[in-house]
Each structure stands twice: as structure tokens, then as C-alpha cells.
Amino acid sequence: MHFVELAVQNVRGFSPTGRFALKTGYLVLKPPATDPSPMAGLSLALLFPDGRGGDAAFSASPQKPGKAALTLVGQDGVTYRVLRELGGGGSLHRLNPTTKQPELVTQDTAEANQFLRGQVGLPPRGTFESIFCLQAGQLPSRRPRGGVRATTSSGGLRTKSSPGMPAVRTQSSPGLALGGLASAQAVQPAHDIPAAEARQKELEKELLLCKEVDNLQFEVDGLNSQVFDLEQKLRGTEGLKEKVREAEALWNAEPTPEKMGLPADIAARAERYGRVLARRDEAIARLLADKDLAEEEAARLPEIKPLVKNRNFWIAVAAGVLFFGLSFFLSKSARYVALLDVPAFGFAAVLALRYVEDLQEKDRVDRRNETFTAREKKITEEFEAEAAPVRRAMEIFDVDTPGDIPPRLQRREQLGSEVAQLRTQLITQERHPEFVAAGEQLPLIRQQIELLNAKIEQKGTFVRDMREVERELSRLKESIALARNPQAMASLSGHDVSSGPEPLEDPSPLLLGQAGDLLTLDVHAVTGVMRERCTQYFSALTERRYVGVEWDRDGNTSVVGASGRRQLLSELPPREVDLFFLSLRLTVVEKVSARVKMPLLVEDAFLGVDESRLPLLGRMLKHLGTLTQVLHVTPLGGFAQVADATIPL
């Protein structure tokens, strides 16, 4: 998750009207005045509205209500926009990824809170404030002292609670919140014991309700974590699907022979173009050779004279007619002379037959020439039928030789092969047992989340934080006890006067417990994850005066000095306790960001830190900016030098 844009109007600590685009990385936000802008408080008011109008305190002018809008990208990858009129109502919108237009999700505060936690992926308010909001008031040295302190008695060391605080600090009853918002005033005796006892019963009922809601919400958060993991598995194929779509687009955009009006086998034609051309040239050569032989044969033929111009033919015909005519004038004994017309007519007939044969031979030669022409035409037509598409393809592809055509067409084949390979990989991933199981489990878990959310809604539209109820109940019980035993108050005050300053509170139990909730680990596993990195941060900030950090089973901290001496954190000077707090906070954000990305809001938390350590803290925040979004509100100019961007507020 990361913030995309913040828009404000009449909001304290910001320009009168402003719209600030927020990128990922390490961003320095420069307030318009020397006081830091309440970026963390305003973000909490927008993301975790209580519906009581307490956010009206952020308005710059009480006469005119302030307005603020926060745009963010949720854990589900969808863009959301929260709009609120400070002290009034608000709405939650979602950006439709298809139409790119905002759609109203809800205008109900309780529904918005449930949706932001269940769908968008926000942690509980206390967790977000304790881990992802780093403010100067959270430093142990700046929080009111009122925790566990040691007093001497005959029995040795014992713990005694200060006024207004429970006797034992546990994860469920942490005492003062890290935000420093709890009151540290002394508890006064109850004026009306029956009314206080009635209020106690109400608080006990409310505490039971808070515990039920907290347990239900814990289950919802666990299921949401499972949903996130399953969605990540299912989204694991998105990159491959995108590659398939891109490869298919390139494959479809690549020209095909059909689109260009070319035969489907144009590549094969281009490859055999050389053989077709050689075969054509060979056929033409044979044809020319045969034609030359025919021409030589025709040249050897004698010239054919028309039969009517053949003198011998007419002499033979005349002799035959003469001998035939004499047969009518001669005597019978001399008519045998008429038989001479037979050889005469026979000779004429032979001449006529020779003439016919010559004509036939000439006609044969003429027809042979026509055959050569037909053969040449057929050879040319067959070659053109094969070669014309190749020449057209050469013009379309703008190549010089037919051999350049197949490589131009092979790109589509290569793209088709790549598409087939990617599709096979996608099918393999989607048929993987883990992927199939994730697809089957996701709707079931979402159904469970809906049922749990319905149960939470049945419990009430607004439920206070359990620790707040515990604190109020503890103070109420103590006030009743003081009212019934006034001497205890004087005795307690005497101890307070003589005991001196109390040790600073160890922030580790609460922070490690909340980190464990986000990482779904127990305290022992969390300390194993945090130890090495926290030691590195703490050693660097203390110039290697301390070289080790250790936690017991309850999360209490001890440090190891450079000399090997082990000390409780409460024994260190306040400034070094603050440095340990900063080291642990940065470590928790770094380790949690590997699992759940949330923006880190830093509001000038280093005002009391030595200036020599500020450049090192800037580099640490710069490193965190590579893991998650870091928004650092500070007027100091040194941090801007290492930031990815500087945004004036």
C-alpha cells in the first residue's frame, strides 16, 4: 500500500488549499511553518474515523470546516480515495480499473472502516499508529513516566503501580499508548461509589464486547492475510498472461501472405524460384535448339513451284490427250497407239503426287514452327504462374532477391512458436496443484470473511479499542478503591515523593507483539527476525557503544555494551533509550515491509537527537524508501539532500 495524493483545504499545518502528489520512495514534506504539519494525525483521522467529530481539531479555522482527501493504492492493487469534511461526514470511493472513473463504495463511517481493513488491507488503528507513525511524542524520554518501578521492602524487590496505571503491563494492557495520548494524571477517589460501580459493570460488558470484536477482527485479519497470499499466488500468472497477450499482439500484427494477397506457400515458392528459373531457361534452350534444326531442315527443302507452272506436267497431259484423241481417228489396227496416253497421264499424275507431297512437307514444317511457338508460350506461362507471386512479394517486402523473402516470413513463425510456448507455460502453471488449490480456497475464505464481518456488524457500529477500555476500567477500579480506603492515597503519595524519577518504559513488548500480529509469528520468532538488524541500527546510532540487543521471553530488552557488559534498557540514559526506540521502529518497519507494505509517516521525530546523527538517520530512511513509501515531515534541510523528492506543504 502507498499514498498517491493528499488534498487539503483549511487544514492546520498545511497551505490554505493544496493538492500534493506523493510518489513512492523517500519523500521529504516541508511544512509551511516551523511547526511540523500533522501528517500522521490527519492520515489517522481519514483512514480510521471514529464518527465522533474529533477530527475537527485539524481545521485551521473553527468558523470554516476543513476538508481533506487521501488517495491511496490498497493491498489489492486498486486505487481508493477517502474524502472527509473534518468534524463531519465523509465517503470512500474506488477507481474502476476499466472505466478509470471513481465509484462510490460507502458514505457510512463504520462500513468504511470495515472495508478499509478487510478489502484495502489496513491494520488496526493502534498497530498503524504504533508501527507506521513515527512522531517525537512517541520517544520514551518524551512520554510521561508512570510505568513499573522498583521499591525496596523487607521482601526484596517488588513492583508497584503508579497512580492511574495498572499494576502489571501486558500486551493486552499496555498502559500508555505509544502515541502518548493517554492521560498521566493521578486518579482521584470516586465521588459516587454506586454510580462508579454501575459504570464499572458497563465497562466490563464493553470490555467483553471489545474482546469479542477484537477476536473476530483478529480472525478477519488472519483470513485477509491468507486471501492476500492466495491472491499473490493467483496473480503469479499475471506476468505470464501479459507476456502471452503481448506475444499474441505481435504475432497478429505480423503480416501474413493471405493479408498481402500472396499464396500461402510463397516462402516455398521463393526457395524454389532459382530451380524454376533454371528449368525455364533449360526448356527455352531445348526449344531454340529444336527450332534451329527445323529451320535448317526447312532450308534444305526445294522451292515448290505451282503445278500449273510445271511444264513437264502440261507436256505429259498434252501427250496423253493427244494419244487419246488419235484413237478416234486411226484405224482399228493402229488404235494401239492410243495406249501411249496411259504413261503420259501416269507421268502427269506422278508429277501431281510429288507436288502434293511437297505441299504436305511444307505444311508439316509450317505446323512445326507453330508447335515451337505454342511450346514457348506454355513454358512462359508456366514460369509466370510460379514466378509472378515471387516478384510481387519482392516488391511488397522491398527486397532484391527471392532468397530474402523467407526470413521476412519466418518472424511470424517464430512469434507463433513463442506464443505456443508461453501458452504451454501458462497452462502448466494454472494446472499446478498449489494454483488450483488457491483458486478453490479463495472463495471459501472470502465467504468466511463476509460471515465474520457480518458478526462484527451485529456487535455494533462502533467499538472502542480494547486497551482504551482496559485503561478506563483500571482507573475506575482504582478510584473506587481510593474512595473506600482514603489512607491508601496518602500512603501512595508518600512513596511517590520519596522514590525519585521512574525508569523509562521499554517499548519492545508492545512493538514486538504488534509486529508478530502482522507477520503472524510469536514473540520468540519475531525477536529472532529483528535481533541482527536492530543491533546494526542501534550500534550505528550509538557509535558502537553497544554491540548487542537481546530480548527475554516476554519481550523485555537488554543491551550488550562494547565491553561485554549486559544492561537492562531501563538502566540506559534517556537519549540512548530514544536511540534504541528509533532503531527498533526502523527495524520493525523494514522487516514488516517485506510482508505488508505500508507508508511510514515520520513527523520530525529527531528534534531531540544529536545533529551528528541526523545524516545517518537520513540514510536509514532513504534505505527504507527502497522497501516502502516513507513520508518525512520536517523543516530541516539536511534530509532533503538524500530524499528522492521534496514536496512543500
Side-chain angles (χ1 to χ4, degrees), residues 125-181:
R125 176 189 173 111
T127 302
F128 187 86
E129 184 176 5
S130 299
I131 294 182
F132 300 104
C133 295
L134 182 55
Q135 301 167 278
Q138 294 175 341
L139 295 172
S141 64
R142 290 174 177 258
R143 295 205 304 272
R145 303 190 187 195
V148 177
R149 73 172 184 262
T151 59
T152 305
S153 67
S154 59
L157 292 177
R158 63 185 179 88
T159 60
K160 182 175 182 180
S161 61
S162 62
M165 298 301 298
V168 180
R169 292 182 182 270
T170 64
Q171 184 177 344
S172 62
S173 180
L176 286 175
L178 284 177
L181 301 178

Side-chain angles (χ1 to χ4, degrees), residues 53-112:
D55 49 7
F58 291 103
S59 297
S61 172
Q63 291 78 17
K64 181 180 179 182
K67 297 180 181 179
L70 180 63
T71 305
L72 60 112
V73 177
Q75 302 288 1
D76 54 359
V78 180
T79 301
Y80 297 91
R81 186 173 179 84
V82 182
L83 297 95
R84 293 202 65 80
E85 180 177 319
L86 301 180
S91 60
L92 174 63
H93 299 261
R94 171 175 49 202
L95 184 66
N96 189 311
T98 304
T99 62
K100 303 299 181 182
Q101 296 297 322
E103 298 176 349
L104 178 65
V105 177
T106 182
Q107 291 180 321
D108 183 81
T109 300
E111 290 183 2

